[in-house]
Amino acid sequence: MTRRSCTLYAVGVICSTLLVVGIGLVVSQVFRTFMHNRLKKEIVLVEGSRVFESWKTPPPPVYMEYFFFNVTNVNEFVEKGAKPVVKQIGPYTYREYRYKVNVTMVENGEKVSAYNTKSFVFIREKSVGDPAEDNITTVNIPAWAVMNELKESYWKASMMSIWMNSIGIGLFTTRTVDELLWGYEDPLLVRIASMKPNVEKIFGLMYKKNGSNDGEFVYHTGEQNYMDYGHVETWKDQRQLTFWNSNQSNSINGSDGSAFHPLLDKNERIYIFTPDLCRSIHMEFEKDVEVKGIPAYRFTPPRSVLASKKENPANEGFCVSPKECLGTGLLKVSPCRKGAPVVASFPHFYLGDEKYVAAIEGMSPQREHHQTYLDLNPTTGVIVRANKRAQINILFNKIPGFPKTKALNETIFPVMFLNESVVIDDASAARVHKLLLIVTLVSNFPLIIVGLGAIMLAIFIILLLKARKHKNEVERIVFTKPHYATSNEDDTSYSPVSDKEKEDPQNGTFIGMTAKSEPQA
């Protein structure tokens, strides 16, 4: 066997081996399955895991923006029932520091408990003004809370109305941003606290939330089932809430919004339990996005989350009572706000009924500015960008015993909305890129083998064509030798004639020309 034949044979064997092995690995998904199993084992909430420290102290900066609705026609609205006119003022931006404390492994390491602590630091360069100086005219929430508490008793309501008028307490108040957020001593609450010591004198939308937590959470580590990674098992020792009127509404589902399982699918629903809304909500895939070069799935709450019971019968359990079942886009959270007539919605009543937008001059819902969404890398489950947006409103209506409310129609009055946002930082993005590169290379290793097999196949074909060409040339040369000889051996040669002929006296001495015969094999 010639060297050329050996090379051709070797290349053919290598080519076929690479293609068979590579295609077999691609079909069986061995490397992909191996890599996914590694991710499931590494992305768990246990000491020493890839994500544990970043889960306890998230590195990307979180910002909390507050936007207030300043009322510009209080007298016309209260006295004449005119449409309220509001002007949005904000943002007032704070850096939000998140960290988990008292982190403890429980139930033999299958679960982990922690307290989610948050603290806020004002950032002047990202804000429109000074919260200590800027005044906002808005709903007097303590007054409305007290009025709603007494609405079932006309006599008590009438007495409270007289008392409020005597000390100059109205339906609206003007306070600084700092006071509205972090608390102020309310004169009405001070009077009530003198008779009922358990009543808090201080009111603020974020009162006692700076440097505090929402209570103890117990989470699944994800070791038993990667789909449970970060899911809330209990909150304040409760597996079910007690605020609502159905087991489904009281269910604690999903994570707290800080951790999501790896290997996300576009068709799945993501559940998030949020103490601020006193309930769980779900989010669905909207579109593919990219953040700092990292591919991500965008998940967002659909309209059905806050739909009326007519649109979504499953939401009937969130009705405080049959008479207090609000329309689409609203959630009355008074059961977990000590009875205060607080209504939650998306900013500017985004995804809500048009009537709520039309009732307030100054509302302009826009998807870009008012949508809540999560951008999650599907391979790792890491949050690469998020905007959590919610609006606080007060339910206005006529309350017997309070003459100041007689000109009011039922109105959902906006007070403030917040935007809690985060974008992955560069260092974290680099780590995610590195991990995704490893996952991609390992998962696609069979394709690399197939690619090498294809290259070897191309080389094999080229060698095969060259060998065939060489063979044809040899055959052509052999076939044409008798007719077109070119070598010295085939040329006509000269040889002397016999001695007798040399000595022929008639012919004289001469050289005869004869053809040399071919050697015998």
Side-chain angles (χ1 to χ4, degrees), residues 269 281-284 300-307 346 351 372:
R269 276 185 172 182
I281 65 170
H282 69 267
M283 307 177 81
E284 296 177 351
T300 185
R303 178 182 169 94
S304 60
V305 168
L306 296 182
F346 293 117
L351 295 182
T372 288

Side-chain angles (χ1 to χ4, degrees), residues 394-410:
I394 298 297
L395 176 61
F396 271 22
N397 51 21
K398 296 181 179 67
I399 301 178
F402 291 94
K404 287 185 177 181
T405 67
K406 65 180 181 179
L408 301 180
N409 297 316
E410 182 173 289

Side-chain angles (χ1 to χ4, degrees), residues 26 32 34 39 43 51 60 77 81 116 124 173 182 196 218 227 258 302 316 321 324-325 330 332 404-405 430 509 516:
V26 170
R32 184 180 181 87
F34 167 77
L39 285 173
I43 302 181
V51 297
F77 173 65
N116 301 325
R124 180 66 183 85
T173 185
W182 310 113
K196 295 182 178 182
V218 174
M227 294 289 288
S258 64
E316 185 173 1
S321 69
E324 295 179 284
C325 208
L330 304 178
K332 190 172 184 181
K404 287 185 177 181
T405 67
T509 301
K516 187 182 290 184

Side-chain angles (χ1 to χ4, degrees), residues 4-5 8 461-473:
R4 186 186 300 273
S5 300
L8 190 62
I461 292 173
I462 292 172
L463 292 176
L464 194 64
L465 292 174
K466 284 188 175 181
R468 186 176 182 83
K469 182 179 180 182
H470 177 74
K471 182 179 179 182
N472 290 338
E473 288 179 351

Side-chain angles (χ1 to χ4, degrees), residues 130-339:
D130 187 343
E133 297 180 359
D134 295 355
N135 288 314
I136 303 293
T137 298
T138 187
V139 179
N140 190 339
I141 297 178
W144 276 99
V146 171
M147 292 161 60
N148 270 270
E149 184 73 19
L150 302 175
K151 64 182 179 181
E152 302 299 331
S153 172
Y154 183 82
W155 182 81
K156 288 182 180 180
S158 298
M159 294 299 294
M160 179 58 68
S161 177
I162 294 172
W163 192 19
M164 288 172 61
N165 289 334
S166 67
I167 58 176
I169 303 296
L171 303 182
F172 290 83
T173 185
T174 300
R175 298 283 176 178
T176 65
V177 170
D178 263 349
E179 289 177 322
L180 291 173
L181 283 177
W182 310 113
Y184 62 93
E185 191 173 81
D186 183 78
L188 178 59
L189 296 179
V190 169
R191 297 289 184 95
I192 296 175
S194 64
M195 297 177 289
K196 295 182 178 182
N198 62 323
V199 173
E200 181 65 67
K201 300 177 184 179
I202 308 297
F203 170 78
L205 295 167
M206 296 291 292
Y207 179 55
K208 290 185 176 180
K209 290 188 177 182
N210 197 350
S212 64
N213 60 76
D214 294 318
E216 184 186 37
F217 284 82
V218 174
Y219 305 91
H220 288 272
T221 62
E223 277 195 304
Q224 302 300 312
N225 184 349
Y226 83 99
M227 294 289 288
D228 292 333
Y229 167 73
H231 280 198
V232 178
E233 172 70 7
T234 62
W235 175 58
K236 294 183 177 179
D237 294 324
Q238 294 179 314
R239 294 179 184 272
Q240 287 273 111
L241 304 175
T242 57
F243 304 127
W244 312 109
N245 298 318
S246 71
N247 289 333
Q248 180 178 345
S249 299
N250 281 317
S251 296
I252 296 176
N253 298 321
S255 73
D256 64 351
S258 64
F260 298 91
H261 69 79
L263 308 178
L264 289 162
D265 188 270
K266 291 181 179 180
N267 296 319
E268 69 178 289
R269 276 185 172 182
I270 288 179
Y271 287 88
I272 299 173
F273 170 66
T274 168
D276 294 332
L277 293 178
C278 314
R279 62 164 290 187
S280 298
I281 65 170
H282 69 267
M283 307 177 81
E284 296 177 351
F285 173 80
E286 181 184 74
K287 62 181 179 179
D288 289 286
V289 295
E290 187 176 283
V291 181
K292 295 187 177 180
I294 301 172
Y297 292 166
R298 173 162 293 182
F299 287 86
T300 185
R303 178 182 169 94
S304 60
V305 168
L306 296 182
S308 66
K309 68 176 184 179
K310 183 177 180 181
E311 282 189 39
N312 183 7
N315 284 344
E316 185 173 1
F318 293 111
C319 297
V320 177
S321 69
K323 292 183 179 180
E324 295 179 284
C325 208
L326 302 176
T328 293
L330 304 178
L331 175 68
K332 190 172 184 181
V333 294
S334 55
C336 61
R337 292 292 181 269
K338 299 180 180 180

